[in-house]
Amino acid sequence: RMSNSAAGTSAPMAVPRPPSPQSPGRWSSLVAASGSQLQEVSGSRPRKQLRCRSFLAAALERAALCCLVAGSLPRAAEAIITKIDKPPRDSLWTPLEYNIGLEPGSTIEIEMHNDKPANNTFIMVLTHDQWIDWRRVDPMALPGSAGDLNSGGWNSYLVSYWRTTLYRDVKARFKITAPTKDRYTVGILNSQQKVLKLHGTVIMVNPGGKHLSLQEQQVPGILLWTAGLFFVSCLVFGLHIATASSRRGRTTMHLVMAGTLLLKGCVLILWYFDLLQVERTGTNSTIGQKGWQLLDKVQTILELMMFLLIALGWKFLRATLNLTEVR
């Protein structure tokens, strides 16, 4: 006991004593109680972090759901069925389709409307060689009535496979008659550079109703074979891991590898079905195109994570990662 003589009162203070051999249980219970209080105080911050992580996970799930719902909405046609809606402009050349591979007997259908009629305006279809020759034409501009050079408007006497005058409305349909396959470009030549307001549709179809250009007609087959290769690789890898002699040969890292191969095959097969729909109908839905593109991004992220985990030696050299590596 200690006394405070200045105040004239005594204030007893208890000094902790080591536990006696006769009461070890009481001391251990006190230590356990204080330890639980410390764990409760120190665990408040991880709980807040867990709440934040759960909130972020829920937000990501809602965002993914919104992406899937938005992907089911219809959108404009693609392939070589092109819808034209140009703002008012006075460009010399307005491209509509560029370098589309077509076989002999292909069909081209053009429906174009000009809300600002103008003379000396032409819709032209050019072969690849004709398009190259255009750059070598001399002179590019015609002389004016007074003999001034380059004042009479641009030269419209250019060689083309097919052309027609566009004043207000044009609706045409014709077949390609050529000895061999070629690449074709469709555009509008505005030789006097008047302001035009264009809208319409350009359809180019290969024989047999194929809406893919010649450059893309072999792509579906390549995608199918490549998807099969990834599926077979995933199957062989899975069988090899499943028949491993010991459980130590099977880790979570092997599951990540198999998932990466499987997801890549799914991306390619979805891409294949999307191109098949485009080839048969000339159109595709947003979910058909954006679906495999979104899944491709997920697969790319998973593949990157797989290489990072391999570089860190997870499940190969050590069983766990530290907090900095996880972040």
Side-chain angles (χ1 to χ4, degrees), residues 11 44 50 60 75 103 123-124 137 146 152 181 197 222 254 263 283 285 301:
S44 60
L50 289 176
L60 290 175
R75 65 182 183 85
E103 294 181 351
I123 299 179
M124 293 187 169
V137 172
K181 55 187 177 182
K197 178 66 173 68
I222 294 174
H254 294 98
L263 201 58
T283 60
S285 61
I301 295 173

Side-chain angles (χ1 to χ4, degrees), residues 3-325:
S3 62
N4 191 348
S5 59
T9 60
S10 62
M13 180 179 294
V15 178
R17 297 178 180 178
S20 61
Q22 292 79 11
S23 59
R26 184 179 178 182
W27 182 263
S28 61
S29 62
L30 290 174
V31 172
S34 61
S36 63
Q37 292 177 357
L38 289 175
Q39 289 179 359
E40 183 178 358
V41 173
S42 62
S44 60
R45 183 172 297 177
R47 288 178 183 174
K48 292 181 180 179
Q49 294 179 354
L50 289 176
R51 292 194 193 99
C52 293
R53 291 178 182 175
S54 62
F55 176 77
L56 291 175
L60 290 175
E61 290 176 358
R62 293 190 185 96
L65 181 60
C66 291
C67 291
L68 292 177
V69 172
S72 61
L73 299 177
R75 65 182 183 85
E78 286 197 352
I80 43 182
I81 298 179
T82 306
K83 291 185 178 180
I84 309 298
D85 190 8
K86 302 288 186 181
R89 62 177 63 184
D90 58 353
S91 302
L92 173 66
W93 174 256
T94 302
L96 305 179
E97 290 285 3
Y98 178 73
N99 256 10
I100 302 297
L102 297 176
E103 294 181 351
S106 301
T107 302
I108 299 179
E109 186 174 351
I110 301 174
E111 183 176 354
M112 195 62 54
H113 307 279
N114 182 17
D115 295 337
K116 295 181 178 294
N119 293 321
N120 295 328
T121 304
F122 308 93
I123 299 179
M124 293 187 169
V125 179
L126 315 170
T127 63
H128 184 67
D129 292 337
Q130 291 169 350
W131 173 251
I132 294 176
D133 292 339
W134 270 30
R135 303 180 181 181
R136 305 171 184 170
V137 172
D138 188 29
M140 288 297 295
L142 300 176
S145 58
D148 300 332
L149 296 177
N150 303 330
S151 63
W154 291 94
N155 184 7
S156 60
Y157 298 97
L158 302 170
V159 178
S160 59
Y161 178 81
W162 180 90
R163 74 165 60 192
T164 187
T165 302
L166 172 63
Y167 181 73
R168 186 185 301 274
D169 299 317
V170 167
K171 189 173 183 180
R173 188 176 187 272
F174 59 94
K175 286 191 174 184
I176 297 295
T177 304
T180 59
K181 55 187 177 182
D182 206 336
R183 289 174 287 174
Y184 293 86
T185 299
V186 183
I188 296 177
L189 178 65
N190 184 10
S191 59
Q192 294 186 351
Q193 291 189 278
K194 301 293 184 180
V195 177
L196 306 178
K197 178 66 173 68
L198 305 170
H199 59 92
T201 307
V202 177
I203 303 175
M204 308 174 75
V205 184
N206 274 294
K210 297 180 180 180
H211 290 81
L212 290 177
S213 62
L214 290 180
Q215 298 95 315
E216 297 180 344
Q217 285 188 1
Q218 303 300 324
V219 175
I222 294 174
L223 290 176
L224 184 62
W225 280 101
T226 311
L229 179 62
F230 274 96
F231 285 137
V232 171
S233 301
C234 180
L235 179 62
V236 172
F237 182 77
L239 291 176
H240 177 71
I241 297 302
T243 57
S245 58
S246 63
R247 293 193 61 182
R248 293 189 60 184
R250 299 190 295 269
T251 63
T252 310
M253 195 64 222
H254 294 98
L255 182 61
V256 174
M257 294 178 179
T260 303
L261 293 173
L262 180 63
L263 201 58
K264 188 63 176 181
C266 293
V267 169
L268 294 175
I269 201 68
L270 290 178
W271 190 1
Y272 164 75
F273 286 123
D274 180 56
L275 281 182
L276 277 188
Q277 183 180 358
V278 173
E279 184 179 19
R280 294 171 182 172
T281 64
T283 60
N284 58 0
S285 61
T286 302
I287 194 170
Q289 184 184 33
K290 301 301 181 182
W292 68 263
Q293 291 179 350
L294 178 62
L295 193 62
D296 184 43
K297 296 298 181 182
V298 175
Q299 192 276 336
T300 303
I301 295 173
L302 180 61
E303 186 176 354
L304 178 61
M305 291 300 299
M306 179 189 70
F307 286 123
L308 288 176
L309 292 174
I310 292 175
L312 293 173
W314 184 58
K315 297 301 181 181
F316 291 106
L317 301 178
R318 49 184 173 156
T320 59
L321 302 176
N322 58 44
L323 184 59
T324 304
E325 292 170 339

